[in-house]
Amino acid sequence: MVRKRSKVNNSVRGLLLIAIAVMVIFPFIYITESVIEVIEEEQRTAKEAEKTSKDTDVVKVEQPLHDVDLPDFAAIKDIPQRKQRFFDYLKPAIDAENNRLADLRLEIAELQAAIDTQKELSKNQKRRLKLLAKKYKVTAKTKEQRLEELLKRVDQIPRELVLVQAANESAWGSSRFARIGLNFFGIWCYKKGCGLVPNGRDEGLNHEVASFDSIDAMIKHYFHNINTNQAYDMFRQIRQQFRENDLPLRPDVLATGLLPYSERGIDYVVEINTMLRHNHRYIKS
């Protein structure tokens, strides 16, 4: 079982975080579905128009950097059908990664229990803890602190939130980076040749948009980024408070922890939450 903190200030802090998140979201709850439908389709069309104008010459010669038989989502004219196809395509990989993380959390909890009962870990357990700490970028000094931090980082992300972010970042799977690089999340990389060079990249910058060779690899990378990147510490704090209070992980509240994901800031969070509400029926079906 995951160890719960007893310090009052941590609980209060967590509850305040959730309260602030809800206050941010609340004013936008009453946007009508028909209006959202129009806005969402206009955004997709605008992104497609921008992509076409910028990439016309590139698309003619650019070949996919992967061997995945990716559906042509843009060719599906019926919007509900396109959305359902898009979400159904990504669901298996997301569920598989969430299941893997759930199993890994149990393993970490068992290491924690071993310390509580034995006061020491076996050689294999110590080796395993060291490997996990390195993978998840945990630098705490004591074993107890490392395990506590690992439980904060090794955790699930609600399927709904992952799907909506993928739809938002990839223009429903039709962007250049999704089609050519199999990157549905706009993930950057910094080694030359690691992905696709963005059109219009400012002079002096050297980042690329990462490419992946499988959907599973892309999903794993996205999860690992959210679970380890310092920018998303607030996301992990909110999630930890849900766990410590035995509450389900609410994607709408967790979305507020993704404020640093886009330079659009709060507007990005509002858009993600709008998409969560509007697309609930496709995600749950």
Side-chain angles (χ1 to χ4, degrees):
M1 180 176 291
V2 177
R3 180 183 302 164
K4 296 184 179 180
R5 294 181 179 178
S6 59
K7 294 183 179 179
V8 175
N9 61 330
N10 282 339
S11 297
V12 171
R13 184 183 184 189
L15 293 174
L16 284 174
L17 288 173
I18 294 174
I20 291 170
V22 171
M23 284 189 288
V24 169
I25 295 166
F26 183 78
F28 306 97
I29 290 176
Y30 297 103
I31 301 175
T32 66
E33 184 169 301
S34 59
V35 171
I36 295 171
E37 181 80 44
V38 173
I39 293 172
E40 190 175 78
E41 182 60 18
E42 286 179 348
Q43 289 172 340
R44 187 195 68 80
T45 303
K47 287 180 181 179
E48 275 299 288
E50 182 181 8
K51 170 183 69 65
T52 301
S53 65
K54 289 183 178 180
D55 298 342
T56 299
D57 295 333
V58 179
V59 171
K60 291 179 180 177
V61 298
E62 243 181 345
Q63 296 298 317
L65 302 177
H66 57 85
D67 297 323
V68 176
D69 185 15
L70 190 67
D72 186 358
F73 296 109
I76 304 174
K77 301 306 179 183
D78 181 76
I79 295 175
Q81 183 180 352
R82 181 196 304 136
K83 290 180 176 182
Q84 194 65 69
R85 182 77 184 279
F86 179 84
F87 288 145
D88 288 347
Y89 185 75
L90 294 179
K91 282 176 186 176
I94 295 170
D95 290 345
E97 183 62 8
N98 270 326
N99 290 336
R100 186 189 72 82
L101 288 168
D103 291 340
L104 191 52
R105 277 181 66 80
L106 287 176
E107 181 183 351
I108 295 168
E110 288 174 358
L111 292 176
Q112 205 174 53
I115 290 180
D116 288 341
T117 57
Q118 304 169 16
K119 306 304 180 184
E120 190 55 76
L121 297 177
S122 67
K123 181 182 292 187
N124 287 338
Q125 287 174 324
K126 289 178 181 178
R127 186 183 300 114
R128 180 61 171 161
L129 176 56
K130 183 177 180 180
L131 289 173
L132 288 173
K134 181 179 180 180
K135 180 177 181 180
Y136 285 92
K137 304 177 183 179
V138 174
T139 58
K141 293 183 178 180
T142 69
K143 294 188 290 295
E144 291 81 1
Q145 290 172 336
R146 287 197 293 272
L147 288 166
E148 196 72 41
E149 183 62 25
L150 277 170
L151 284 172
K152 182 179 174 182
R153 297 184 179 218
V154 180
D155 203 349
Q156 299 171 317
I157 303 174
R159 175 211 272 177
E160 301 95 317
L161 185 54
V162 182
L163 287 172
V164 162
Q165 263 205 290
N168 184 282
E169 295 288 337
S170 71
W172 295 92
S174 64
S175 71
R176 171 195 174 208
F177 302 126
R179 292 180 293 100
I180 306 301
L182 211 63
N183 186 337
F184 287 57
F185 297 97
I187 298 167
W188 287 11
C189 58
Y190 296 91
K191 183 178 179 181
K192 188 174 181 179
C194 62
L196 297 160
V197 177
N199 293 310
R201 184 180 65 182
D202 291 341
E203 186 176 353
L205 298 180
N206 60 2
H207 70 276
E208 299 182 13
V209 178
S211 63
F212 299 94
D213 58 12
S214 72
I215 295 295
D216 288 343
M218 172 189 65
I219 294 296
K220 285 181 181 294
H221 190 104
Y222 163 84
F223 271 77
H224 193 71
N225 182 43
I226 299 298
N227 282 335
T228 61
N229 194 312
Q230 185 177 358
Y232 308 115
D233 185 61
M234 180 64 74
F235 177 96
R236 297 190 291 270
Q237 287 187 50
I238 296 171
R239 183 175 60 185
Q240 183 184 29
Q241 290 302 316
F242 278 122
R243 293 302 193 192
E244 292 183 354
N245 290 281
D246 294 322
L247 296 171
L249 300 180
R250 281 186 54 181
D252 56 342
V253 178
L254 284 168
T256 62
L258 296 176
L259 198 69
Y261 202 95
S262 168
E263 62 184 11
R264 295 173 56 216
I266 189 61
D267 289 338
Y268 179 76
V269 172
V270 170
E271 185 172 318
I272 292 298
N273 272 286
T274 299
M275 292 180 70
L276 278 168
R277 291 192 299 275
H278 182 52
N279 293 285
H280 181 75
R281 64 185 183 274
Y282 305 111
I283 295 171
K284 288 298 185 181
S285 61

